[in-house]
Amino acid sequence: MIIVKTREEIELMRESALIVSKTLGEIAKAIKPGVTTLQLDKLAEEHIRDHGAIPGFLGLYDFPNTLCMSPNSQVVHGIPNGDPLKEGDIISIDCGALKNGFYGDHAYTFAVGEIAPETEKLLQVTKESLYLGIREFKANNRVGDVGYAIQKYCEDHGYGVVRELVGHGLGRTMHEDPEMPNYGKRGRGKKFVDGMAVAIEPMINLGTQRIKQHRDGWTITTLDNKPSAHFEHNVALIDGKPELLSTFAYIYEALGIKSNEEDEFRREALVL
């Protein structure tokens, strides 16, 4: 059952989402060759708690850490460890925070130094597909409209769209109705209504769409060991239009990137 939020609840969700956004911005400053994912995980936990929130993933379904850290061929749910990042790696970082009874949850795939051009293109296309999906999250559209937009764009570039892992509704629990696949058919699935809040999160592979789960019960990798990218935003449906609750602006500030990609999804300018 879809849980519709009031405007007040959506603003509380925005606060949680922006804590995640700021945390990812702090992480962006620290990513470089030689740093370990455990070091980044500790940094994230401290930052979330310093902002009066609780790490959303720590202990959720018994996950052992604050961040899901998934380098290179890992799709999602990688467990932080002591292995140092290397020049040319990519690292998908998924972060959650709980404050005032509501979750924020989003992800970004970072380059570690200079990366291969084909991998850089994968990151670009995956992020572009996220905004194509968000654009379809509007009044009278359905779940399949979002999935179709993401799937078509990524498959037109020759990439594999993961089927087994999906986006989701978000609110007082991390995973609510509806599931938000990154594939689908136009006009199919649950209808969008004002007050919905969802996490839209393309998980796109350079090669095959097929994946495998590792013995730790968490780590998911591509079956062909080619790189995978993951970008995620939290979005509410307000007055029939998608409104971003999260932002990549803190990441871009840390990395010196100029972007207006989020502007169409905000009623008011974001103040950093």
Side-chain angles (χ1 to χ4, degrees), residues 124-215:
Q124 176 189 336
V125 169
T126 303
K127 183 153 66 71
E128 289 169 352
S129 79
L130 169 61
Y131 292 107
L132 290 174
I134 292 170
R135 203 169 287 135
E136 296 299 318
F137 181 62
K138 59 188 178 182
N140 298 318
N141 269 12
R142 295 178 181 271
V143 166
D145 295 304
V146 172
Y148 175 84
I150 293 169
Q151 178 185 7
K152 185 177 190 309
Y153 190 70
C154 293
E155 289 184 348
D156 282 352
H157 283 84
Y159 299 143
V161 178
V162 174
R163 300 299 202 270
E164 296 88 344
L165 305 159
V166 299
H168 50 91
L170 187 70
R172 290 189 180 275
T173 57
M174 178 67 75
H175 298 107
E176 294 183 357
D177 253 3
E179 289 191 344
M180 297 289 295
N182 298 304
Y183 62 93
K185 295 183 178 180
R186 286 175 171 163
R188 300 284 183 88
K190 293 186 177 180
K191 194 173 184 178
F192 300 138
V193 296
D194 258 20
M196 288 181 66
V198 298
I200 298 176
E201 48 177 322
M203 290 158 272
I204 309 299
N205 301 340
L206 184 63
T208 179
Q209 70 185 43
R210 298 176 64 195
I211 59 174
K212 60 182 177 182
Q213 185 173 42
H214 290 236
R215 289 183 178 178

Side-chain angles (χ1 to χ4, degrees), residues 233-244:
H233 266 312
N234 301 152
V235 196
L237 191 59
I238 300 176
D239 295 332
K241 298 178 181 179
E243 168 89 8
L244 278 181

